[in-house]
Amino acid sequence: MVLVTGGAGYIGSHTCISLHEAGFDFVIFDNLCNSSQESLARVEKIIGKKIPFYRGDIRNKQDLQNVFDTHKIDSVIHFAGLKAVGESVEQPLHYYDNNVNGTLVLCQVMQEYNCKKIVFSSSATVYGDPHTTPIKEDFPLSATNPYGRTKLFIEEILRDLYICDNEWKIILLRYFNPVGAHKSGLIGEDPNGIPNNLMPFISQTAVQKREFLNIFGDDYDTHDGTGVRDYIHVVDLAQGHVKALHNIDKIQNVLSVNLGTGNGYSVLDMVRAFEKASNKKIPYKIAPRRTGDVAKCFADPSYAFEVLGWRAEKGIDEMCEDSWRWQSQNPNGYSRD
Ligand code: NAD
Ligand code: UD1
């Protein structure tokens, strides 16, 4: 049985579908601080099966022990965490407590129940401002904000855990920029308030919830001056977790793996692709650069293929078509108004 922390969230809900398709049994643990019961109901609708769900906080030992007492958990996919960069600058203690302390408590409980396999949601943010692209796993690590530092610290903590006890099997998946949604249009990304990230902002502009997109900088050293990122379809990303579980028993040492496509697209490339997919105009204005943004960030994904046999399969058009289907069918996300 797999424990999926944060399984009601954007990436977790898609991963649960892939786990089901791959024949894994799993339970979801989430405090719903950034998600809703509705996403779980929709996942159940897609897979046609009830999912054991525990509402609880990873910082609360008893909440976790309750799950481990009820099910024989043999591995954990750990998505639970807070992820808004700006908010992490305003509330660093909250971020360190939730993400770092939460992971410590989770690992303590895992140890107590002799469950020593964990797949952790890390991020390309641990490469800070990379000196060159594409980014390989052995590039130097750094952080530019508290959110990024929580990922960096958790990676270090997990490496220390392995050093003291080699029975642990630990995979750190470093995601690039997840976008897109499940083909059904039933689940997708549902940010609270004004989106910080590009794709939800574009799709909310397409349904006229936002008047126009601000493009943060057009004077970067990139093919058209706007920032370049490695957008990856969330269903490909979900599949990466299945591959991680398939391979976790045979890994030696802590494995750090980039999950990206290896393709870099600019903000303007994304706007054009979305316009094509949605047949809607995305009005935009050029705005100043956003503090902390880098010009280019994209993966060298070859190691993921080498060690997990995984590679992304979906391209930018499919990412935009699927984001659009989700957004147009659910203009208000999971809330039913
Ligand atoms: P999300 O917010 O949709 O999902 C996270 C889930 O964790 C939510 O359902 C939330 O309610 C839950 N959660 C948070 N704190 C919790 C706690 N203390 N106890 C129990 N549940 C808790 O985010 P997501 O986009 O699905 O991201 C999943 C993970 O991947 C996060 O750790 C995030 O930092 C990481 N990540 C995300 C991105 C991205 O762009 N979405 C990129 C890189 C890494
Ligand atoms: C951001 C975070 C990163 C986090 C990731 C996933 C920052 C500095 N980085 O990455 O730590 O891991 O989200 O949550 O916040 N853009 C616009 N207009 C917008 C929004 C974005 O032009 O309204 C541009 C950005 O300048 C960037 C690109 O679109 O060039 C992608 O931005 P975004 O989706 O926020 O992702 P990242 O900045 O890569």
Side-chain angles (χ1 to χ4, degrees):
M1 181 72 92
V2 183
L3 168 63
V4 184
T5 74
Y10 172 46
I11 305 170
S13 56
H14 287 83
T15 300
C16 288
I17 293 170
S18 296
L19 287 175
H20 169 76
E21 288 167 353
F24 285 98
D25 280 326
F26 56 92
V27 301
I28 294 180
F29 183 91
D30 200 304
N31 65 0
L32 303 182
C33 70
N34 196 39
S35 52
S36 68
Q37 199 93 37
E38 179 61 18
S39 73
L40 295 173
R42 302 231 183 147
V43 172
E44 289 178 340
K45 188 169 172 192
I46 292 167
I47 69 176
K49 199 178 136 182
K50 197 112 194 87
I51 302 168
F53 169 61
Y54 292 81
R55 186 167 185 169
D57 196 299
I58 50 167
R59 291 166 293 179
N60 184 316
K61 232 178 191 168
Q62 270 185 347
D63 285 355
L64 285 167
Q65 285 165 332
N66 178 30
V67 181
F68 280 81
D69 282 334
T70 316
H71 303 274
K72 172 85 191 76
I73 305 291
D74 42 48
S75 53
V76 176
I77 305 185
H78 178 31
F79 293 106
L82 301 173
K83 61 167 183 177
V85 172
E87 192 181 62
S88 80
V89 176
E90 319 261 296
Q91 303 175 38
L93 299 181
H94 183 43
Y95 269 67
Y96 287 120
D97 181 40
N98 195 81
N99 293 5
V100 180
N101 183 32
T103 304
L104 284 179
V105 174
L106 172 66
C107 290
Q108 285 160 359
V109 175
M110 288 176 69
Q111 198 162 41
E112 206 179 294
Y113 287 80
N114 205 30
C115 169
K116 296 185 178 176
K117 292 180 215 172
I118 184 167
V119 177
F120 172 63
S121 298
S122 189
S123 164
T125 193
V126 299
Y127 297 113
D129 191 352
H131 59 283
T132 175
T133 44
I135 299 171
K136 284 172 123 30
E137 286 82 354
D138 61 1
F139 274 27
L141 304 180
S142 67
T144 51
N145 55 67
Y147 163 70
R149 240 175 314 274
T150 68
K151 294 294 177 192
L152 213 49
F153 289 168
I154 295 167
E155 285 203 359
E156 296 288 3
I157 289 167
L158 293 173
R159 276 188 278 268
D160 284 339
L161 191 54
Y162 176 78
I163 290 169
C164 93
D165 177 356
N166 289 183
E167 280 182 8
W168 278 85
K169 302 282 185 191
I170 299 169
I171 301 185
L172 311 172
L173 296 179
R174 295 178 179 154
Y175 313 153
F176 280 69
N177 291 57
V179 297
H182 188 259
K183 278 272 170 283
S184 61
L186 286 173
I187 60 167
E189 189 171 11
D190 181 21
N192 271 328
I194 301 172
N196 297 308
N197 297 117
L198 180 65
M199 189 56 119
F201 205 104
I202 291 181
S203 44
Q204 290 194 8
T205 308
V207 290
Q208 294 179 330
K209 272 185 90 169
R210 311 282 156 212
E211 208 184 328
F212 60 87
L213 168 73
N214 276 309
I215 295 186
F216 298 139
D218 67 349
D219 56 352
Y220 284 108
D221 182 16
T222 61
H223 61 272
D224 60 19
T226 65
V228 164
R229 296 291 183 274
D230 187 337
Y231 297 94
I232 172 168
H233 198 295
V234 66
V235 172
D236 275 335
L237 197 63
Q239 204 52 37
H241 294 76
V242 169
K243 294 280 186 181
L245 282 189
H246 279 149
N247 287 284
I248 200 162
D249 284 324
K250 66 170 196 231
I251 64 157
Q252 304 290 327
N253 219 321
V254 174
L255 202 64
S256 310
V257 186
N258 287 342
L259 293 187
T261 65
N263 301 314
Y265 290 107
S266 72
V267 178
L268 283 170
D269 292 333
M270 294 307 283
V271 168
R272 284 191 208 104
F274 200 92
E275 287 184 336
K276 186 172 132 209
S278 63
N279 208 15
K280 298 273 175 197
K281 196 94 202 110
I282 309 296
Y284 67 81
K285 291 185 183 167
I286 303 299
R289 291 181 179 195
R290 182 172 68 177
T291 316
D293 273 357
V294 301
K296 277 188 217 162
C297 175
F298 60 95
D300 176 338
S302 53
Y303 190 57
F305 189 66
E306 193 186 312
V307 292
L308 302 179
W310 173 91
R311 66 157 65 104
E313 288 170 358
K314 296 174 188 294
I316 181 181
D317 291 332
E318 198 170 347
M319 298 178 206
C320 292
E321 283 157 19
D322 294 343
S323 291
W324 173 239
R325 188 179 306 103
W326 154 251
Q327 185 68 60
S328 53
Q329 289 180 13
N330 307 272
N332 295 313
Y334 288 116
S335 60
R336 289 163 179 281
D337 34 87

